[in-house]
Amino acid sequence: MKKLILAGAVSMLLAACGSDSDDQSTGKVSLAMSDAPVDGLKQVCVAFDNITVHHTGGSEASWGTTSFAADQSSASCVPDGLSIPEDANGNPEFMVIDLLDYQGSNALQVLSDEVLLAGQYTQMRLSVLENGSYSDGTPYSHVVTDTDAVEGIRVPSGELKLDGFTVEADSTQAYTIEFDLRKSMVLNANGYQLKPRGVRVVDNTAVAAIGGTVDASLCSGDLSDAFVYVYSLANGGQFGDLGSENEALASAAVDPVTGQYEIGYLPLDTYDLNLACNGNEDDPEQAGDTLIIDTTLLDQILGTDGLTVNF
């Protein structure tokens, strides 16, 4: 059994806000994508060609590449000298994003001001290309490892089934698909798999970012394996490892040189925040790691853009 040494636990409050909805008319929706990083990868290139949403009334709406901000595809995900294939009308067949380019509070807008029936949507489905490759053999959806190996990404059923959301009448809502890649991108006997676990659809008006710095002395002078973990109060003070029943809502690596970290797009709520000095040992596919908590006094400053916590 591996041991995670955690130093510093604090509860923090991010004030919540609410909204009313009206399902009798229409509203507009914008959608962006962001991520929290994953260990051992230089690139995570996700190619997708369709987004579908399901209304509680039974109707569905979907968007293809003609609606996407396809010109914002990550050039680094396309092999040199090649391009994204086009359909008969000259439109790109998919959009591809290197999620590691949009970490913390950074995000890439994919849809803008799309009109939808107001009300509650129970599900969003993101169609990811797990088959197909460029002429040089590079898969459309792929990762690049720290050793520069290129590996394809598998997605169960070829699509990610994500959370629902609400559209308010006569207004514009902005949502972000937040990929927590430490949870959703796993390496097993079948290669790299992207799973819906750890992928959240968040309302941009009801989220905040947490950032700050970590004193290297808390990890015996070495922050190379340090991670910050954010836990929901619903865990009841049970700080489990990734993959466990009481796992963290989100986590982020600490910069080993500057000690800085950032976790973006957290729903406004009250959380427990912990520091794991050897968080690199936390296997998201294996529960049961032991977490040892050392409660250390933390300074906290609630700002208009989120919370700064210095360990």
Side-chain angles (χ1 to χ4, degrees):
M1 179 178 294
K2 300 188 293 293
K3 179 181 292 186
L4 296 179
I5 308 300
L6 282 86
V10 67
S11 294
M12 55 197 162
L13 176 64
L14 303 179
C17 61
S19 59
D20 297 323
S21 63
D22 179 1
D23 58 6
Q24 301 303 308
S25 56
T26 62
K28 293 182 179 180
V29 170
S30 296
L31 183 68
M33 294 186 182
S34 181
D35 94 289
V38 65
D39 311 345
L41 298 177
K42 292 181 177 180
Q43 282 188 318
V44 177
C45 296
V46 176
F48 55 96
D49 60 359
N50 189 267
I51 297 175
T52 303
V53 294
H54 180 81
H55 194 276
T56 54
S59 63
E60 286 196 340
S62 64
W63 303 276
T65 55
T66 55
S67 299
F68 299 157
D71 60 338
Q72 297 299 308
S73 282
S74 299
S76 60
C77 289
V78 181
D80 291 342
L82 300 179
S83 59
I84 295 174
E86 296 180 344
D87 63 19
N89 297 317
N91 300 310
E93 293 184 355
F94 58 83
M95 183 174 183
V96 60
I97 298 176
D98 180 2
L99 292 176
L100 297 188
D101 284 342
Y102 303 97
Q103 300 180 23
S105 58
N106 294 324
L108 176 65
Q109 189 156 313
V110 176
L111 295 173
S112 299
D113 295 340
E114 296 292 336
V115 177
L116 281 176
L117 181 68
Q120 183 66 37
Y121 287 79
T122 59
Q123 189 181 82
M124 179 184 296
R125 303 195 304 274
L126 180 68
S127 175
V128 179
L129 279 67
E130 64 171 351
N131 298 312
S133 60
Y134 298 95
S135 59
D136 69 346
T138 301
Y140 293 148
S141 295
H142 65 273
V143 301
V144 179
T145 70
D146 282 347
T147 60
D148 293 324
V150 178
E151 303 285 348
I153 297 173
R154 295 185 65 250
V155 178
S157 303
E159 64 179 10
L160 296 176
K161 296 181 175 67
L162 308 177
D163 298 337
F165 59 98
T166 300
V167 175
E168 296 182 14
D170 304 320
S171 65
T172 298
Q173 289 84 56
Y175 290 93
T176 296
I177 301 176
E178 169 70 4
F179 291 81
D180 187 341
L181 291 177
R182 290 195 79 202
K183 294 182 181 180
S184 58
M185 179 63 71
V186 299
L187 176 61
N188 54 32
N190 295 315
Y192 285 93
Q193 288 189 302
L194 183 61
K195 299 183 177 182
R197 172 174 165 264
V199 184
R200 298 177 285 115
V201 178
V202 296
D203 181 349
N204 289 0
T205 64
V207 295
I210 295 173
T213 57
V214 176
D215 191 321
S217 65
L218 292 176
C219 294
S220 302
D222 184 5
L223 295 174
S224 58
D225 298 325
F227 284 77
V228 171
Y229 283 65
V230 176
Y231 292 91
S232 169
L233 286 194
N235 288 24
Q238 300 298 310
F239 307 124
D241 63 309
L242 297 181
S244 70
E245 181 180 354
N246 297 302
E247 69 178 358
L249 174 65
S251 62
V254 177
D255 187 292
V257 177
T258 66
Q260 294 180 334
Y261 68 91
E262 182 182 17
I263 304 174
Y265 297 98
L266 285 169
L268 299 177
D269 206 344
T270 302
Y271 298 99
D272 287 319
L273 183 66
N274 298 320
L275 169 67
C277 289
N278 57 335
N280 65 309
E281 296 180 14
D282 194 353
D283 183 353
E285 290 287 271
Q286 175 181 307
D289 300 331
T290 300
L291 304 181
I292 298 177
I293 306 296
D294 176 16
T295 57
T296 302
L297 179 65
L298 305 177
D299 297 323
Q300 49 185 311
I301 303 171
L302 184 62
T304 56
D305 296 323
L307 192 68
T308 299
V309 179
N310 298 319
F311 290 87

